[in-house]
Amino acid sequence: MITVLKPGTSQAQRDQLIVWLREQGLDVHVSEGSDYTVLGLIGDTSHVDMDLIGSLDIVESVKRVTEPYKQCSRKFHPEDTVVDVGGVKIGGGNFAVIAGPCSVESEEQIIAVAKAVKASGATLLRGGAFKPRTSPYDFQGLKADGIELLLEAKKETGLPIVTEIMNANHLPLFEDVDLIQVGARNMQNFELLKELGKTDRPILLKRGLANTLKELLMSAEYIMAGGNDKIILCERGIRTFETYTRNTLDISAVPMLHELTHLPVIVDPSHATGLNRLVEPMAMAAAACGADGIMIEVHNDPPHALCDGAQSLTPEQFDRVAGKIAGIREIFQK
Ligand code: PEP
Ligand code: MN
C-alpha cells in the first residue's frame, strides 16, 4: 500500500503517522521527493483501513498495490483450481453443464427433468429446495423434502446435485448434496460463509445482485480463510438501469475473474436475463469467452412452474442449447 503525504506535512506529523502504522504490524518505507513524501507500507495490509488513512489531513492519496484477497488470488496460486463435485471435475479445462428446475416441485417433475437433461449432456442436476423468494407469500420450496427428491433423482440418473443453502443450521440436511449453492442474496452473509469455510464441501458462490467482482472475491476469501478451497464462482447478472432483461449479464466478469483468481467461473444465463429466448445466445457467449461451465433452468412444463417459468427452458430447448454449447466448446478448444 502506498500513501502520499501532502506537501507541508511536518516531520512530527509524519513520524506520528509512521508510529501508528508500525503499531499495526507494518514496515514503513519512506521515500522523500522535492514536494511529496511517499510511504510504502509493507506487510499484510489486508486489515488496514484505507479510508481512514485517506481521511487524515496530511494524506494526499492512498492506493493498494496488492489486493485484499490473498488465497483466491491468481498471484498466490497461478494454476487453475479444479473442483471435484461428486466425481465431476470443474475448472482447468473441465466444463460443467448444470441444468434443472428453479425449484424442486414433485418427484415426477424432478425425475423427468433429471433424465431429460442427462440425455442432453448435463453433467450436474440443479434444483432449489430452500428458495429465497422476494415475497413471503410465494412458494418457498419443498425444503428438506426437496433435498430428498433431489437425492432420488441422483439415484435414478447418477447426476451429482446442486442446491441452495440459506441458513447454516440446515447444513446437516446437505450431508449428501454434492455442490452447495450460496445464492446471490446471501453472497455477503458472512456468518454463512464462515460456517461453509469450516466444511470441506464444494461451494457454488453466486455473485450478488449489486456486488463488484472484488466483493465476490472477498466473499470467496471468507470461505477460503476457514480452510475450504473448493469454490466455484458464478456470474448470474447484476442490477443495472436496464429493464428489458431481469438483470444484466456481465460477461466480461468471466475473463476478468480468470485474470484475478484461480477459482473456476461459471455463468447462469437464466437468472441473468430472465427470458428463456435469451438463454441460448448468452450460454453460447459464456462458453465462447472461456467460462468453466453454465447453469441453466429447465422445467418440464414452464408455464406451470412454481418459480421462474419465464426463464426456464423446456427439455427440448435445453437439448438444442446443449448441442450449441458443445459446438462452441469444440471451436474454443481448437
Ligand atoms: C437460483 O439459482 O435458484 C437462484 C435463486 O439464483 P440467484 O441466487 O442467482 O438469484
Ligand atoms: Mn430461479
Side-chain angles (χ1 to χ4, degrees):
M1 191 179 278
I2 289 172
T3 301
V4 180
L5 302 184
K6 283 182 182 160
T9 299
S10 73
Q11 180 81 31
Q13 286 172 312
R14 187 178 94 179
D15 290 348
Q16 198 181 4
L17 175 58
I18 292 173
V19 167
W20 179 69
L21 291 167
R22 290 206 169 118
E23 278 169 4
Q24 297 187 51
L26 300 169
D27 277 340
V28 183
H29 177 267
V30 184
S31 152
E32 237 165 313
S34 51
D35 293 323
Y36 290 94
T37 299
V38 176
L39 306 182
L41 314 187
I42 302 151
D44 180 8
T45 56
S46 56
H47 59 280
V48 173
D49 187 342
M50 238 176 100
D51 295 335
L52 180 59
I53 297 176
S55 72
L56 300 175
D57 281 348
I58 59 168
V59 171
E60 172 88 21
S61 64
V62 50
K63 193 174 184 309
R64 273 190 195 283
V65 285
T66 53
E67 299 299 345
Y69 46 86
K70 301 259 179 261
Q71 300 195 49
C72 65
S73 168
R74 202 178 268 286
K75 282 189 196 141
F76 292 82
H77 186 295
E79 299 81 37
D80 288 342
T81 283
V82 178
V83 181
D84 187 309
V85 179
V88 174
K89 291 189 171 28
I90 305 178
N94 303 286
F95 191 84
V97 179
I98 308 174
C102 179
S103 310
V104 179
E105 297 172 8
S106 68
E107 183 170 351
E108 301 70 47
Q109 174 239 22
I110 193 65
I111 304 266
V113 174
K115 284 182 173 166
V117 297
K118 184 178 180 182
S120 299
T123 50
L124 287 101
L125 174 68
R126 66 149 285 146
F130 291 90
K131 292 303 304 176
R133 303 304 301 276
T134 300
S135 166
Y137 308 116
D138 285 341
F139 176 58
Q140 302 288 306
L142 297 182
K143 307 183 177 73
D145 291 343
I147 295 183
E148 285 305 315
L149 295 177
L150 280 167
L151 291 169
E152 285 288 315
K154 178 182 173 179
K155 218 185 283 172
E156 285 277 332
T157 59
L159 291 177
I161 55 171
V162 190
T163 195
E164 176 167 353
I165 193 164
M166 297 209 291
N167 185 332
N169 294 332
H170 295 158
L171 258 172
L173 296 171
F174 285 68
E175 206 55 47
D176 298 317
V177 170
D178 299 283
L179 179 57
I180 302 177
Q181 175 172 321
V182 175
R185 289 153 192 84
N186 272 313
M187 188 203 88
Q188 288 191 313
N189 181 341
F190 300 118
E191 292 307 314
L192 176 62
L193 300 177
K194 282 186 214 168
E195 287 305 314
L196 295 172
K198 292 180 197 162
T199 74
D200 66 348
R201 316 291 306 286
I203 308 295
L204 178 62
L205 179 62
K206 297 189 89 174
R207 181 181 184 179
L209 278 70
N211 286 110
T212 63
L213 298 181
K214 188 184 276 184
E215 287 163 341
L216 172 62
L217 292 171
M218 291 307 293
S219 290
E221 193 75 11
Y222 260 93
I223 301 172
M224 294 189 86
N228 183 358
D229 59 0
K230 297 174 186 162
I231 304 166
I232 297 159
L233 304 173
C234 180
E235 163 59 34
R236 46 77 72 208
I238 48 175
R239 276 273 162 89
T240 67
F241 45 79
E242 183 51 65
T243 54
Y244 280 122
T245 47
R246 182 175 178 183
N247 291 291
T248 298
L249 177 59
D250 178 8
I251 198 75
S252 64
V254 176
M256 193 72 242
L257 284 169
H258 276 151
E259 221 174 278
L260 298 170
T261 179
H262 50 88
L263 297 173
V265 181
I266 70 163
V267 170
D268 170 351
S270 305
H271 292 91
T273 62
L275 298 167
N276 68 354
R277 66 182 184 280
L278 295 192
V279 169
E280 178 178 309
M282 294 302 95
M284 288 169 71
C289 77
D292 299 292
I294 45 165
M295 179 156 84
I296 295 181
E297 286 189 341
V298 179
H299 196 283
N300 51 341
D301 183 10
H304 294 103
L306 296 181
C307 183
D308 286 351
Q311 68 194 33
S312 297
L313 302 186
T314 61
E316 295 71 29
Q317 289 169 330
F318 174 71
D319 187 62
R320 191 184 129 95
V321 176
K324 293 231 172 183
I325 294 297
I328 293 272
R329 291 274 306 146
E330 220 167 279
I331 298 167
F332 186 77
Q333 281 170 330
K334 274 181 192 153

